[in-house]
Amino acid sequence: MTRNGTAPPRTAVLAALLAALVSLGGLVALPAPAASAFSDVAQGVAALLAGLGAGRRVGRCSDRRTRATWVLVTAACLSWAAGEAYWTWYSLRTGEVPFPSAADVGFLGFALLMALALLAHPARGGHRAFVQRLLDGLMTGTAVALVSWLTVLGAVAGSDFVATSLERVLLLAYPGSDVVLVVLTVLLLSRARGRETALSLVGAGVVALGVSDSSFAYLGATGLYDGGLIDMGWIGGFLLIALAGTCPVPADDASPDDAGAATALSASPLPYVPVLVALGVVVALTLAGRPLNQAEMLTSSAIVVCLLGRQYLTVRDNVLLTRELLARQEELRRQAFTDPLTGVANRALFLDRLEHVLELHARDGRPAAVVFLDLDD
């Protein structure tokens, strides 16, 4: 078995696993005050490592848009690290950080910069690929938004534990930005080439961060957040991004536009995953006796409409590709069996027909004859 040429080095993988295990052990074994301080430091260090790893990759990318992507990833991680540094300093000095605080600027700055990074990555394909991505974005975004509303956003919006409007806006901003990042991640990975391990690791890290953000918003709105294993999503997410920075750059990374439009017409199942999750959540809530309101029903209908449009586009693309294939086969047959100058049947067609007639003669005893005309001057 050959090792994937874009996979991170084994030493980097082992170091990331060791860091994750140490972080998990600290969160579980240490008493509450010490575990909270340990978690703050671990999150800051992980975000800093992610920024350094992504920054290291910037210099190895020769394509302008790919380089811009990793510059923004670097800035996003460092923004989080700055917010976490303020949070840790304030927490160690006073024992409790107010909410909201200056740390939220760094945390939300991460969401903005990471969204720009995902948008900046080169997209391949023409008009059909653009329409496909548009439908995928609408379908994925609506599904993720519905799941987030039914599980987190709705609870935050109606919480009685939120004292001010600013607190409510910030608590809604975290899961709201997570919706955007998850949608952009799904769209990016669904059109990425299979060897882009670094993008897959960044996507996994963004999803892990989103889970912790949404859990923090929900528990914060209900007055139940006290750190713990939820913080592993932030630590693990940044470790995955740091690991992405150690991946070798593909040899064709410098010319992403060389790939034809067909490469952008992907058959990835990723855009359908949020739809299945949304369906599962709706079914579970319905069985639990919690019916959907009118807005939630309209959102569910929008998901179905996008899904049908996406499938129609896929069927139409298949029909067009089949027609192109048949036309190419006919052109190849014409080139193989006719003279390119006169269009008259050539020796290859004669031998093909003769072989066919002889096979019928051998099988069914049909008579066979050949007429030979020698035209000279």
Side-chain angles (χ1 to χ4, degrees):
M1 179 182 297
T2 59
R3 187 170 177 268
N4 185 352
T6 61
R10 289 187 176 89
T11 53
V13 174
L14 293 176
L17 288 174
L18 180 60
L21 291 175
V22 170
S23 301
L24 180 61
L27 293 176
V28 173
L30 293 175
S36 178
F38 175 83
S39 175
D40 292 339
V41 173
Q43 291 177 52
V45 171
L48 182 60
L49 290 175
L52 294 176
R56 179 174 174 267
R57 191 177 178 86
V58 171
R60 294 181 288 152
C61 295
S62 54
D63 174 62
R64 180 176 57 84
R65 290 191 61 182
T66 305
R67 191 185 310 116
T69 297
W70 287 99
V71 167
L72 289 167
V73 171
T74 302
C77 295
L78 294 180
S79 175
W80 181 286
E84 189 61 44
Y86 177 85
W87 178 286
T88 304
W89 171 78
Y90 205 107
S91 177
L92 294 176
R93 189 169 66 92
T94 64
E96 184 177 357
V97 182
F99 180 77
S101 70
D104 294 294
V105 177
F107 297 151
L108 293 176
F110 166 83
L112 176 61
L113 292 168
M114 183 59 75
L116 292 175
L118 297 175
L119 287 171
H121 195 271
R124 300 166 177 83
H127 174 71
R128 284 187 292 172
F130 171 78
V131 175
Q132 183 193 77
R133 290 195 296 270
L134 178 62
L135 286 175
D136 284 347
L138 292 174
M139 181 176 67
T140 305
T142 308
V144 174
L146 179 62
V147 172
S148 183
W149 174 262
L150 293 175
T151 57
V152 177
L153 285 174
V156 173
S159 173
D160 296 329
F161 289 89
V162 182
T164 65
S165 298
L166 180 58
E167 290 183 14
R168 192 180 303 276
V169 169
L170 286 176
L171 284 174
L172 288 172
Y174 283 105
S177 61
D178 294 334
V179 170
V180 175
L181 289 178
V182 169
V183 170
L184 292 177
T185 299
V186 169
L187 294 180
L188 177 60
L189 294 182
S190 66
R191 72 174 190 261
R193 292 163 293 178
R195 298 190 301 112
E196 293 181 338
T197 308
L199 283 182
S200 300
L201 289 171
V202 171
V206 168
V207 171
L209 293 166
V211 170
S212 285
D213 277 347
S214 297
S215 301
F216 164 77
Y218 177 80
L219 295 176
T222 55
L224 299 176
Y225 175 74
D226 59 353
L229 294 180
I230 291 176
D231 296 349
M232 276 303 300
W234 288 310
I235 299 171
F238 283 117
L239 289 177
L240 288 172
I241 296 175
L243 202 58
T246 66
C247 294
V249 177
D252 55 350
D253 184 69
S255 56
D257 295 328
D258 290 344
T263 61
L265 298 176
S266 64
S268 172
L270 283 176
Y272 298 96
V273 174
V275 176
L276 293 176
V277 174
L279 176 63
V281 171
V282 168
V283 171
L285 291 177
T286 302
L287 294 177
R290 195 280 203 190
L292 301 181
N293 58 37
Q294 185 176 8
E296 293 164 351
M297 286 294 296
L298 289 175
T299 304
S300 302
S301 301
I303 296 174
V304 174
V305 170
C306 291
L307 181 61
L308 293 176
R310 178 66 167 81
Q311 293 306 109
Y312 167 75
L313 181 64
T314 300
V315 172
R316 192 190 68 172
D317 286 338
N318 289 339
V319 171
L320 293 176
L321 291 174
T322 301
R323 289 176 180 173
E324 292 177 5
L325 178 61
L326 292 176
R328 290 180 183 180
Q329 289 178 339
E330 179 61 25
E331 178 65 17
L332 290 175
R333 190 198 69 79
R334 187 189 64 80
Q335 292 176 358
F337 292 139
T338 60
D339 181 80
L341 179 62
T342 63
V344 178
N346 60 13
R347 182 185 298 271
L349 180 60
F350 168 74
L351 294 177
D352 178 77
R353 294 294 184 266
L354 178 62
E355 182 180 359
H356 180 64
V357 169
L358 292 177
E359 288 178 354
L360 292 177
H361 175 72
R363 186 186 68 186
D364 302 330
R366 297 185 186 182
V370 175
V371 178
F372 177 75
L373 299 177
D374 185 7
L375 300 179
D376 187 4
D377 294 331

